[in-house]
Amino acid sequence: MINPIADKRILLGVTGSIAAYKAVDLASKLTQNGAQVDVILTESAAKFVSPLSFQSVTGRKAYTDEDLWGGYGHVTHVGLGHAAELMVIAPASANTMAKIAHGIGDNLLTVTALAARCPLMIAPAMDVGMYGHPATQANVDILKQRGAVFIGPEEGHLASGLVGPGRLSEPLTILGVIRYQLSRGGKLAGCKVVVTAGGTQEPIDPVRMITNRSSGKQGYAIAQAALDAGAEVVLISGAAHLPVPGGARLVPVVTAAEMKQAVLEETCDADVLIMAAAVADFRPAQAASDKIKKETGVPEIRLEPTEDILLAVSEQKGRIGRPRRVVGFAAESQDLLNNARRKLQSKNLDLIVANDITASDAGFEVDTNQVTLLFADGRTESLPNQSKAAVAAHLMGRVGEWFQPPLSGT
Ligand code: CTP
């Protein structure tokens, strides 16, 4: 499974807004993700940011109205419009949205929008009053009815000093939506994949807790890889600090008990559960309702076991057949493969991902991982040390094989 942005021809339209500088970052991020990015600036966009800025990050020509009125005008817009696999206008001004909604083509950007046959995404940026104006709202409705996908605008402080909806979404957010849109129709289209990530937190008192070193990075990378494969993704996470991959539905949880409840609820109609979370095995039997004070002496904290979520899932799978497939993780510091194989069987898994947490460049917190896949049919597959994104892509490739040919019905 590769990044769906890679090798795509993306047309980025930039209009006159103070937020135009953010479009340079977006163009850069799209290029870093492997896209070929053609940029068209309107005349007013070019007053905020120069075509050269875009050319410098995309390595390709950035177009302005001079190219429309130059010798190759009629070829430029049709050529750009037809070559594009996705057209994104960010920032989109009220004026440009109005023109596109009403089929007006009076500059290179709007005439190219008329010529383009690809999906259109629009990230508006304008003052709150302009965005709320009935004319703008009517144009937004027209464009949405025609299938345009809107990203934002976000609420926030605007250049006018007012606060409200009108801010351009952050380039990373726009990138996530683009990645999501381009991945629909992938091998796991129609599949619901539930991924758990991060560690759980078990309270001792209102201030203190028992947790573990899981960063959630591997689970988030798996959620992204499942999205890239076209799946509908639910991310049940105790890692509140990480950015949620665009298109994933986040279910935030804190304790093992909350995670168990969320997993059972979300998997009763799911195709796959990938249990990458590091769930606490023990919790304080009684969390103190007030902060434990030093004066009362060193506390003795009695622990009790948490429930094993995968065992509960196995019971549910036996009862209702969902989730269809279950992938577990085994983080071990000794006897890796034997321990993992034992967990594969005892938790009734289809696949377990075993990783040795004693290696410095694998496991918790770092961006790389080295894992061995152990399948229920006895196959094993050792992967080289690689980025967590690459591990996730490989894993989702194997998961995708379970669902070929694609699922139909239920
Ligand atoms: N797991 C779970 N519920 C728990 C503990 C773990 O569902 N209460 C899941 C983990 O998410 C992981 C797999 O079980 O996918 C293995 O977790 P791991 O911590 O390696 O194993 P444990 O069963 O907890 O056994 P031990 O800690 O003794 O190695």
Side-chain angles (χ1 to χ4, degrees), residues 179-397:
R179 187 167 180 164
Y180 178 75
Q181 290 296 325
L182 290 174
S183 66
R184 301 302 87 195
K187 279 188 178 162
L188 286 176
C191 283
K192 178 178 177 184
V193 176
V194 178
V195 181
T196 67
T200 62
Q201 299 177 359
E202 311 301 328
I204 296 170
D205 68 12
V207 181
R208 305 170 180 101
M209 64 197 175
I210 298 176
T211 188
N212 59 63
R213 290 178 55 206
S214 170
S215 63
K217 284 180 179 174
Q218 185 62 78
Y220 275 58
I222 291 168
Q224 181 65 70
L227 288 161
D228 289 347
E232 175 204 341
V233 174
V234 177
L235 180 56
I236 300 174
S237 171
H241 54 286
L242 293 176
V244 179
R249 178 158 62 81
L250 179 72
V251 180
V253 294
V254 177
T255 63
E258 284 174 21
M259 185 170 277
K260 180 189 163 206
Q261 190 186 345
V263 166
L264 292 180
E265 265 172 40
E266 292 294 344
T267 54
C268 63
D269 61 352
D271 297 290
V272 184
L273 168 66
I274 301 183
M275 195 72 199
V279 188
D281 290 323
F282 311 102
R283 68 176 160 234
Q286 191 83 55
S289 51
D290 290 313
K291 186 181 171 198
I292 299 170
K293 303 297 281 178
K294 271 197 302 244
E295 301 88 76
T296 52
V298 178
E300 286 205 359
I301 300 167
R302 197 168 59 81
L303 300 179
E304 64 179 15
T306 59
E307 260 193 82
D308 192 299
I309 300 174
L310 280 175
L311 285 183
V313 169
S314 169
E315 185 277 325
Q316 175 183 283
K317 186 179 172 191
R319 201 162 26 84
I320 62 170
R322 296 292 186 129
R324 293 176 202 257
R325 301 282 186 160
V326 183
V327 178
F329 272 68
E332 305 290 346
S333 60
Q334 57 186 344
D335 206 7
L336 176 68
L337 296 185
N338 283 333
N339 277 328
R341 199 165 286 113
R342 192 174 40 75
K343 288 176 190 173
L344 176 76
Q345 283 158 4
S346 66
K347 297 182 190 238
N348 189 23
L349 307 173
D350 297 286
L351 165 60
I352 195 158
V353 181
N355 69 335
D356 178 356
I357 52 167
T358 59
S360 61
D361 51 358
F364 294 139
E365 286 154 2
V366 294
D367 290 322
T368 51
N369 211 354
Q370 180 159 14
V371 304
T372 301
L373 309 185
L374 288 85
F375 295 83
D377 63 10
R379 272 180 305 141
T380 63
E381 189 179 13
S382 276
L383 305 186
N385 190 295
Q386 54 193 333
S387 68
K388 287 185 173 171
V391 169
H394 188 95
L395 175 64
M396 289 318 298

